[in-house]
Amino acid sequence: MARVLVGVTGGVAAIKVPHLLRLLRGAGHEVRVLATPRALEFVTPLSLAVAAGSEVATEEAWFRPEGGALHIELARWAEVVLVAPATADALAKAALGLADDLLSATLLAGARRVAWAPAMNEAMWLAPQTQAHVERLKALGHAVFGPGYGPLAAVGEGEGWGRMLEPEELLERLNALLTPKDLEGLRLLVSAGPTREYLDPVRFLSNPSSGRQGYAVAEAARDRGAEVVLVSGPTCLPDPWGVEVVRVESALEMRQAILERFAWAEAVVMAAAVADYRPKEVLRDKEPKAAEAKTLHLVPNPDILKELGEQKGNKVLVGFAMETQEGLERAKGKLQRKNLDLIVLNWVSREGVGFGSPENEVVLLLRDGQVLALPRMAKRQVADRILDFVRTFWKA
Ligand code: C5P
């Protein structure tokens, strides 16, 4: 958790800043806010102050006799300055080192880390001047979050590049920025979600996997500096930013997508709930309903992870086991049979964990026989614990 100074400049996206401030505080960050006079045309000092839980630093406050060194004080206090929304003007000033207002002076006064959330009309964003300033700021080590694509504020403008990222995504990006990069250089392949095994064009066999645990692994690894490819079965989850996402449906498609990338990867976390069987034949047309009972002929799907285990080399391999009984013994068997470094045992039958839930309660079984029962925790925390072991094996 960090001391975050949010700098607000004059764009309509400033109306989203109170929500951003609440999210930052909710995530445990200590927050202060600085607003330019133009920003205060869009959002009131009171709503910013209430959401931040602290007074708003303004030009006026700076120019009071006792406010003389406010820019120095703010620059020293903040572990990171997030400028959101950031106008083209604010970016330009910082790139050039101008310091004629409280925000630009604070940035010049030695702010340790700076992140920008640009928000402007597409033409202004794409203007070579703005792009040059952004390049300059990146070269100075500043982070730039977005902008995103979508409807622009000006009437009749339609869609374009230039929207400020949503507050939820800004929080994710900021947390990622603050995360130590202990997996820098790791090439990680993650699988997630269920597979669908079609009987005909509209019917399939599947399972209730939400993909959350695998996505959490992909996101946590990205934040820790890894290069991540996520092969995902059908899920309702949005593609995580900063991760290459490959969408597949069936076990056979998943197998192909994974095998194609296996040579590239240094570690694989196989969190997908791959269907063990598929219908022997897939009908081209939808079969009409009939009154009598029906027998479905199934054939086994290839075990992707077992295949990876057979050509493991010095890659790190992590599997999951979802069990309802005799979990430890079965998981141990899979760890050995599939030649894994680590297997993550999930309990299907416990309430509030596993399939679809934001939390998980797992047991980690390691190659050397160690067994580690973790308490119930967020899937993101489980992901970090798994990645701690991936790191150890990768470095070994
Ligand atoms: O044998 P079981 O299906 O329980 O093993 C689970 C582990 O194996 C998971 O990591 C899963 O992603 C992987 N698996 C696979 N291919 C299959 C079935 C499971 O890679 N056909």
Side-chain angles (χ1 to χ4, degrees):
M1 300 309 109
R3 291 190 302 274
V4 183
L5 174 66
V6 177
V8 194
T9 70
V12 68
I15 58 175
K16 296 183 180 174
V17 172
H19 180 47
L20 171 65
L21 297 171
R22 284 187 171 280
L23 290 176
L24 288 165
R25 287 175 70 196
H29 297 298
E30 207 180 322
V31 177
R32 286 173 77 178
V33 60
L34 180 167
T36 66
R38 286 276 164 82
L40 297 176
E41 305 271 338
F42 292 95
V43 60
T44 70
L46 186 60
S47 53
L48 292 173
V50 170
S54 61
E55 243 178 272
V56 183
T58 59
E59 294 302 294
E60 257 180 315
W62 195 26
F63 279 98
R64 283 203 288 264
E66 69 278 13
L70 187 54
H71 57 305
I72 308 290
E73 194 256 314
L74 287 170
R76 290 193 182 150
W77 176 85
E79 286 165 273
V80 57
V81 182
L82 169 63
V83 186
T87 58
D89 188 64
L91 289 161
K93 274 187 182 170
L96 295 171
L98 302 184
D100 64 348
D101 61 18
L102 180 57
L103 177 62
S104 55
T106 301
L107 293 173
L108 197 64
R112 270 166 278 184
R113 286 185 123 143
V114 185
W116 298 88
M120 65 197 74
N121 178 277
E122 183 179 68
M124 295 171 77
W125 170 249
L126 295 177
Q129 300 92 318
T130 305
Q131 290 300 311
H133 291 141
V134 167
E135 286 314 308
R136 174 80 189 123
L137 292 171
K138 284 184 180 166
L140 290 170
H142 293 202
V144 180
F145 302 155
Y149 188 87
L152 297 174
V155 178
E157 277 292 306
E159 303 211 324
W161 290 102
R163 277 177 70 82
M164 186 177 83
L165 297 184
E166 293 303 327
E168 288 76 10
E169 187 166 344
L170 290 177
L171 172 64
E172 277 184 26
R173 300 263 186 155
L174 193 78
N175 284 340
L177 185 73
L178 297 168
T179 304
K181 306 290 176 241
D182 65 345
L183 295 180
E184 186 103 68
L186 172 71
R187 294 191 301 270
L188 177 70
L189 184 57
V190 182
S191 74
T195 64
R196 284 181 182 172
E197 310 301 327
Y198 280 89
L199 323 179
D200 69 22
V202 294
R203 300 186 178 102
F204 54 78
L205 300 172
S206 192
N207 61 64
S209 166
S210 66
R212 280 183 212 283
Q213 186 61 70
Y215 278 57
V217 170
E219 290 169 356
R222 167 204 66 201
D223 290 357
R224 290 167 69 163
E227 203 182 324
V228 184
V229 175
L230 172 64
V231 176
S232 174
T235 69
C236 299
L237 304 173
D239 286 2
W241 57 269
V243 167
E244 185 190 333
V245 182
V246 183
R247 295 262 176 192
V248 297
E249 282 202 271
S250 66
L252 292 180
E253 284 169 16
M254 182 168 278
R255 174 179 177 273
Q256 190 182 344
I258 287 175
L259 291 183
E260 276 170 12
R261 290 161 182 84
F262 189 55
W264 165 85
E266 292 168 284
V268 181
V269 176
M270 211 42 218
V274 184
D276 290 320
Y277 300 95
R278 66 178 184 278
K280 187 164 180 224
E281 51 171 349
V282 186
L283 301 176
R284 272 234 322 240
D285 296 306
K286 183 184 171 198
E287 195 175 23
K289 177 168 65 180
E292 55 276 9
K294 197 171 156 54
T295 304
L296 204 54
H297 201 122
L298 302 176
V299 293
N301 270 326
D303 189 323
I304 307 167
L305 191 52
K306 190 157 175 286
E307 264 182 80
L308 303 185
E310 283 156 11
Q311 34 181 321
K312 182 176 184 296
N314 55 6
K315 295 182 197 286
V316 182
L317 284 188
V318 178
F320 277 68
M322 171 73 82
E323 308 293 347
T324 50
Q325 53 180 335
E326 295 167 29
L328 281 175
E329 279 317 303
R330 289 193 183 176
K332 211 174 278 175
K334 286 175 191 177
L335 177 82
Q336 285 161 0
R337 208 164 46 245
K338 302 193 189 202
N339 195 16
L340 309 178
D341 296 292
L342 164 67
I343 194 155
V344 184
L345 170 62
N346 276 285
W347 303 99
V348 186
S349 45
R350 296 202 181 156
E351 215 169 291
V353 299
F355 273 158
S357 148
E359 293 198 319
N360 217 349
E361 191 177 324
V362 302
V363 181
L364 305 183
L365 290 92
L366 294 149
R367 196 182 184 93
D368 65 5
Q370 268 190 80
V371 176
L372 217 82
L374 301 182
R376 180 181 295 204
M377 54 176 81
K379 284 185 172 171
R380 174 61 180 246
Q381 284 175 293
V382 172
D384 274 315
R385 299 298 294 269
I386 294 169
L387 290 170
D388 290 344
F389 283 106
V390 169
R391 182 173 183 277
T392 308
F393 289 121
W394 172 54
K395 295 267 178 196

